[in-house]
Amino acid sequence: MKIGLVRRGYSRTGGAEAYLRRFADAAVAAGHTIVLFSERWPQEEWPFELVPLASTSPRSFADAMVVLRPRDHCDFLFSLERIRTCDAYRAGDGVHAAWLERRARFEPAWKGWFRRFNGKHREILALEKELFGPRGARGVVANSALVREEIVQHFQYPEAKIRVVHNGVPPFDVAPDARAQTRVSLGLKEDDYAILFAGSGWSRKGLRFAIEAVNLAKVDRAVLLIAGRGNPHTLPKCGQARFLGPVKDMPPLLAAADAFILPTIYDPFSNACLEALAAGLPVITTAQNGFSEIIESGVEGEIVDQPNDIPALASAIKAWSDPDRRAVAKLRLEILSTQYTIAENVRQTLAAIQALR
């Protein structure tokens, strides 16, 4: 069949963009044809059919999709964007209404009040309501049970029409000496305990809580490596923190680390955590991260109920400072990661599409 894909924006380093390209390659290999509906995707970065649309906002893009009549161009419409209607919607960005609710718990009340009058948020909320309404998506592919439950809770969307397909990760492939070389380049000693935080959007991903937990834990030779873009001056002081800035090549840095921490306020399913799992790192995260569904707390990492539970995060940091415990977990994590491959993700997604068709 001819599958129409929908993604408004484009980023060379975006996770959704990487997912779409991998999915398109696999779908074509399976005998399907692909067309992409997008506002910003450059033709030179897309080897398949591309239908450009003009828009200035989420709502105007959804309107442009209606005017275009996408089913004149394809047999099945699979959207990664909040639009008014489609055959299947991939809820990879989570539920905006749920994110705003969680966000409001960790910021001053005036910010939440001000956000209610923000045009972009209002447009996204209205589109979500339409997308999960009676005339919206015929089916949903969610990347976690967390997202599935939020869709049902907020919109009374039928649970039977939602299929959970967890994200996939590429094989973890680094040179045998990558760990030693990267630690030398970072000035780390052999017995330093390197805890890695990776990602931008520091407020949502809970970097403040990670720093406070490292300060409270007071673990000897602990170092918090922070990869990503943000303003360090807005965060608590921490003598054990090192700000690395944006890092393009993550595998060597993951190889150099001993544990991974992401005390996120909201994450539908963190790819950064999945990459850490593939690298054999115990992951300290929260129940607000869909990734937490695939690990066992205390065995392959630690799941903290609330991102601002600093004593619980500090306790987890201490617990995973034991090298012997990490060595046992590493074997389990590497085996577990083989269940969450890109190939398996694409296979399950194509199966969901075939079932809906």
Side-chain angles (χ1 to χ4, degrees):
M1 60 180 157
K2 189 172 186 180
I3 302 172
L5 303 175
V6 184
R7 184 66 177 179
R8 180 188 172 211
Y10 174 79
S11 167
R12 291 185 184 275
T13 58
E17 287 77 3
Y19 169 86
L20 262 187
R21 181 59 194 272
R22 291 192 299 261
F23 176 83
D25 288 340
V28 169
H32 306 291
T33 53
I34 293 291
V35 56
L36 172 65
F37 305 100
S38 178
E39 175 194 332
R40 302 172 191 157
W41 207 298
Q43 180 67 71
E44 63 271 17
E45 297 293 333
W46 186 257
F48 313 110
E49 184 181 351
L50 174 65
V51 176
L53 289 91
S55 70
T56 57
S57 68
R59 182 171 59 191
S60 66
F61 181 81
D63 291 341
M65 284 295 298
V66 173
V67 172
L68 178 69
R69 296 174 59 89
R71 285 188 182 83
D72 292 346
H73 300 261
C74 62
D75 305 313
F76 190 97
L77 189 62
F78 182 40
S79 181
L80 275 74
E81 206 69 55
R82 296 174 181 91
I83 56 177
R84 303 194 186 284
T85 184
C86 58
D87 293 303
Y89 170 64
R90 183 179 186 268
D93 296 331
V95 174
H96 198 67
W99 155 231
L100 293 180
E101 284 183 3
R102 293 179 194 274
R103 186 178 189 176
R105 300 173 195 168
F106 299 95
E107 63 183 7
W110 66 267
K111 284 192 175 182
W113 180 85
F114 183 77
R115 196 171 290 110
R116 284 186 295 173
F117 296 95
N118 181 290
K120 181 180 177 181
H121 289 299
R122 288 207 310 255
E123 285 189 12
I124 294 174
L125 290 171
L127 285 171
E128 274 193 342
K129 187 175 181 180
E130 198 165 348
L131 180 64
F132 296 123
R135 298 181 180 178
R138 291 199 301 111
V140 173
V141 178
N143 58 0
S144 65
L146 169 73
V147 173
R148 177 186 63 198
E149 290 158 10
E150 289 172 344
I151 293 171
V152 173
Q153 175 189 346
H154 283 269
F155 305 100
Q156 291 74 55
Y157 190 88
E159 185 174 345
K161 294 169 65 176
I162 306 174
R163 181 175 296 195
V164 174
V165 179
H166 290 122
N167 293 356
V169 65
F172 185 72
D173 186 20
V174 294
D177 59 349
R179 175 178 171 85
Q181 286 194 358
T182 306
R183 287 177 76 94
V184 167
S185 70
L186 293 170
L188 296 175
K189 302 281 194 300
E190 186 176 345
D191 58 346
D192 283 343
Y193 170 39
I195 310 156
L196 176 61
F197 174 100
S200 300
W202 288 350
S203 178
R204 176 171 69 87
K205 294 182 186 294
L207 177 55
R208 169 179 293 275
F209 307 137
I211 290 174
E212 291 177 357
V214 168
N215 284 338
L216 180 62
K218 294 183 171 62
V219 176
D220 288 340
R221 307 204 65 83
V223 178
L224 179 61
L225 302 173
I226 301 164
R229 184 178 289 105
N231 183 2
H233 301 295
T234 63
L235 297 165
K237 299 294 183 184
C238 178
Q240 294 164 289
R242 298 189 189 177
F243 292 90
L244 308 179
V247 175
K248 292 182 179 179
D249 190 13
M250 282 299 298
L253 186 57
L254 287 163
D258 298 304
F260 190 87
I261 187 166
L262 193 80
T264 182
I265 293 173
Y266 182 64
D267 219 312
F269 190 102
S270 167
N271 278 325
C273 289
L274 192 57
E275 291 167 1
L277 180 147
L281 301 182
V283 176
I284 302 167
T285 190
T286 68
Q288 284 73 46
N289 180 358
F291 168 86
S292 67
E293 299 165 12
I294 71 170
I295 63 169
E296 183 178 348
S297 190
V299 177
E300 292 135 352
E302 215 76 37
I303 303 169
V304 176
D305 283 339
Q306 296 299 326
N308 61 345
D309 189 343
I310 308 305
L313 289 169
S315 177
I317 289 170
K318 286 182 180 178
W320 288 103
S321 66
D322 180 357
D324 294 333
R325 188 181 187 195
R326 296 198 304 268
V328 172
K330 183 178 177 66
L331 297 174
R332 293 178 59 96
L333 289 161
E334 289 174 345
I335 294 170
L336 181 62
S337 71
T338 62
Q339 301 175 31
Y340 299 95
T341 63
I342 290 170
E344 180 60 16
N345 170 276
V346 171
R347 185 194 68 78
Q348 291 187 34
T349 303
L350 280 172
I353 288 174
Q354 293 281 18
L356 279 167
R357 191 184 183 212

